[in-house]
Amino acid sequence: MLRRNAHQLGLATSVAVILALAACGDGGGGDTSGTGGGSSGVGAGNPTSSGVGAGTPTSSGNVDPTTTSSGNVDPTTTSSGNVDPTTTSSGNVDPTTSAASGGGNCSPAVDITAPSGNPFADAHLFVDPGYVKKVDSSIAQVTDTALKAKMEKVKQIQTAFWLDRIEAIKELPAYLDAALKLQNELCEPVTALIVVYDLPNRDCFAEASNGELHLDQNGTQRYREEYIAPIKQILAAHSGQRIAAVIEPDSLPNIATNLGGKRCDETTAQSYRDNVAHTLKELNMPHVYQYIDAAHSGWLGWPDNQKKGAKIFAEVIKAAGSPANVRGFATNVANYTQLSYTAESYDQQDNPCFGEFDYVDAMASALSAEGLGDKHFIIDTSRNGVGNIREDWGYWCNNKGAGMGQRPKANPGGATNLDAFVWVKPPGDSDGVGQEGQPRYDLFCGKENADTRAPQAGQWFHEYFVECVKNANPAL
Ligand code: BGC
């Protein structure tokens, strides 16, 4: 899935522009149009700027691993128990939950109001028990005690719970119940993090994460009735806790730059707009915080692309009725782009945004120009700890040498309205199958920098997890 950018980079062999640009996205960037094109690289625009790169060194520094935890645990607190997500004959999940919307013995009761509207602030960031199981499977396979100890630390870090197919919804009530149970034990807000990711004709510019729903097979109806409707019910039944939701990675960015390429035709583009708007509208609840996927610096970093993206985001939000809970945007989801400039080996092609901090600043301005000056950002730092690992900025699949990046953290600073560093892509989950001939094989998963031993997207890739742990920066 995610992050196709070779096309945005376009003519990969063109002018090796070394840039500078202090102000990403304003001025110095030249006239990059970056329209569509496919990995053959059509339409990279017209790089004009030059100048010598500056940029700030990669930040590192120790970030306090996530969570604050603390608080007194009250062992007497009752849990709401696991909800049986009984599937009905129609395949719909029955989201009936128990006392999922609050409760507990905390005195005073936990106030889940987010400080300044930031759901990650002053909260414990809930760790997905499903991810912990995957990490445990890796711990069982290694003998090196130092490595094991590092892996143990990963089990304290929040990663997102991906609703990547209808079937996955069955696990959502139990996931949220467990977060609520913890909230009632800690007597402090616990924030859950989910990803909504099942659009019809999903991943139209790549192969690796093509989804289960198709427009020509009643995809829109199924998306709305069998996917969004039950998610809405389940979230509504968990109104006593904070839930951050990343909305449909790649979809709107694909419309911005890849229209006409591969399977990103007009019909698909329109359906992405309509269905994302539908989702934003349906999931508009005060305890839910929606972050629309906004690609990353190596994709919508060029000024023209920023503008196109911002315009589409604004149109879709408006079409949804400008829901109050659209908190902002998620960048770098499942990508490898670093926070700040590092000497990557790829040709940056006049892209003034070297890294995600620059990009967030630039997107904030572009969104302001569209009347969305109040939006906030989260950056996926799960695998961007190490730079200089790819020949081309557009490589997005299982890049060898990757390391975990900054730990999830609220209000980390560094860019405009930045709510948090988050780990959306669970490190160790594959980006896409690496062997040619397998279903959903994408050429990017066979590139020179890709680890071609990879299983299907989303499946656990132990060897890759080991690498991400060993290369973590900051170290685990
Ligand atoms: C896959 C999803 C998976 C997600 C998280 C995506 O690339 O398509 O199936 O849930 O990554 O690993």
Side-chain angles (χ1 to χ4, degrees):
M1 63 162 294
L2 323 197
R3 51 286 125 189
R4 15 243 61 109
N5 8 24
H7 44 291
Q8 289 85 7
L9 290 170
L11 307 172
T13 52
S14 74
V15 214
V17 194
I18 305 186
L19 7 125
L21 302 165
C24 156
D26 90 346
D31 176 25
T32 321
S33 64
T35 45
S39 46
S40 56
V42 183
N46 177 21
T48 56
S49 101
S50 58
V52 178
T56 46
T58 315
S59 85
S60 58
N62 287 337
V63 168
D64 178 17
T66 1
T67 47
T68 53
S69 135
S70 77
N72 292 333
V73 176
D74 175 1
T76 61
T77 308
T78 53
S79 110
S80 55
N82 283 346
V83 171
D84 176 10
T86 324
T87 306
T88 63
S89 52
S90 65
N92 286 340
V93 172
D94 173 4
T96 318
T97 57
S98 47
S101 52
N105 291 336
C106 301
S107 177
V110 179
D111 176 5
I112 65 160
T113 314
S116 310
N118 178 356
F120 299 94
D122 292 348
H124 180 101
L125 307 184
F126 182 62
V127 176
D128 175 13
Y131 185 65
V132 170
K133 276 192 197 147
K134 290 175 175 180
V135 173
D136 275 336
S137 76
S138 280
I139 292 174
Q141 291 179 61
V142 298
T143 47
D144 178 337
T145 48
L147 184 57
K148 270 186 193 288
K150 288 182 177 189
M151 290 179 174
E152 287 290 342
K153 290 187 186 167
V154 177
K155 288 161 60 181
Q156 308 295 319
I157 301 173
Q158 178 178 60
T159 56
F161 179 91
W162 286 65
L163 293 160
D164 59 352
R165 59 202 190 287
I166 291 167
E167 187 76 7
I169 300 171
K170 284 186 185 169
E171 294 160 31
L172 182 60
Y175 167 81
L176 293 174
D177 282 350
L180 181 64
K181 178 172 181 276
L182 184 63
Q183 177 168 292
N184 290 336
E185 287 168 1
L186 298 176
C187 293
E188 65 173 308
V190 170
T191 300
L193 175 61
I194 63 172
V195 183
V196 173
Y197 186 57
D198 202 22
L199 279 178
N201 290 15
R202 193 178 73 189
D203 206 22
C204 67
F205 204 73
E207 309 304 326
S209 288
N210 293 177
E212 64 188 348
L213 301 178
H214 306 280
L215 285 178
D216 59 4
Q217 291 164 27
N218 221 10
T220 291
Q221 191 184 350
R222 293 194 63 200
Y223 178 72
R224 295 181 180 199
E225 293 177 5
E226 296 174 40
Y227 183 72
I228 293 300
I231 291 174
K232 177 183 178 178
Q233 276 182 282
I234 294 165
L235 298 189
H238 288 81
S239 61
Q241 60 198 110
R242 294 187 202 160
I243 304 166
V246 173
I247 305 298
E248 295 293 357
D250 288 352
S251 57
L252 300 182
N254 266 329
I255 301 178
T257 62
N258 294 330
L259 196 56
K262 299 199 175 172
R263 286 165 288 100
C264 300
D265 56 23
E266 288 286 353
T267 311
T268 299
Q270 190 58 48
S271 77
Y272 280 6
R273 283 175 183 263
D274 295 346
N275 284 324
V276 170
H278 175 83
T279 296
L280 296 176
K281 192 174 184 174
E282 292 297 300
L283 303 188
N284 182 18
M285 293 169 244
H287 65 297
V288 177
Y289 299 78
Q290 302 193 77
Y291 293 88
I292 302 168
D293 181 80
H296 58 90
S297 54
W299 184 342
L300 296 184
W302 286 266
D304 279 9
N305 289 355
Q306 283 159 28
K307 283 187 201 124
K308 278 187 208 162
K311 185 162 182 289
I312 293 166
F313 298 143
E315 287 165 356
V316 171
I317 289 172
K318 192 169 171 209
S322 301
N325 78 337
V326 176
R327 172 73 180 169
F329 296 86
T331 86
N332 207 36
V333 170
N335 206 283
Y336 297 82
T337 300
Q338 293 202 284
L339 292 172
S340 302
Y341 172 75
T342 48
E344 290 275 9
S345 52
Y346 48 72
D347 172 7
Q348 287 173 315
Q349 297 200 27
D350 209 15
N351 182 343
C353 295
F354 283 138
E356 293 308 288
F357 282 153
D358 281 351
Y359 178 60
V360 164
D361 289 343
M363 262 321 242
S365 304
L367 288 161
S368 264
E370 295 290 340
L372 296 174
D374 60 336
K375 296 305 173 200
H376 291 69
F377 295 85
I378 52 177
I379 301 176
D380 185 357
T381 53
S382 66
R383 303 183 303 181
N384 74 347
V386 183
N388 222 12
I389 58 171
R390 34 187 182 175
E391 296 302 313
D392 190 300
W393 204 348
Y395 290 179
W396 52 265
C397 194
N398 303 314
N399 291 309
K400 288 182 281 193
M404 293 163 175
Q406 297 282 340
R407 312 299 177 255
K409 181 181 167 66
N411 294 321
T416 312
N417 286 350
L418 187 56
D419 273 352
F421 295 144
V422 285
W423 284 17
V424 182
K425 178 74 183 184
D429 275 7
S430 171
D431 291 322
V433 71
Q435 301 91 48
E436 204 168 347
Q438 294 295 309
R440 305 204 301 175
Y441 172 74
D442 189 288
L443 285 176
F444 277 86
C445 302
K447 294 284 187 193
E448 64 271 36
N449 298 131
D451 190 329
T452 55
R453 297 171 294 178
Q456 286 285 337
Q459 288 184 10
W460 192 244
F461 184 8
H462 166 72
E463 293 79 4
Y464 198 71
F465 176 69
V466 169
E467 184 148 352
C468 289
V469 169
K470 283 184 174 166
N471 297 335
N473 176 27
L476 284 158

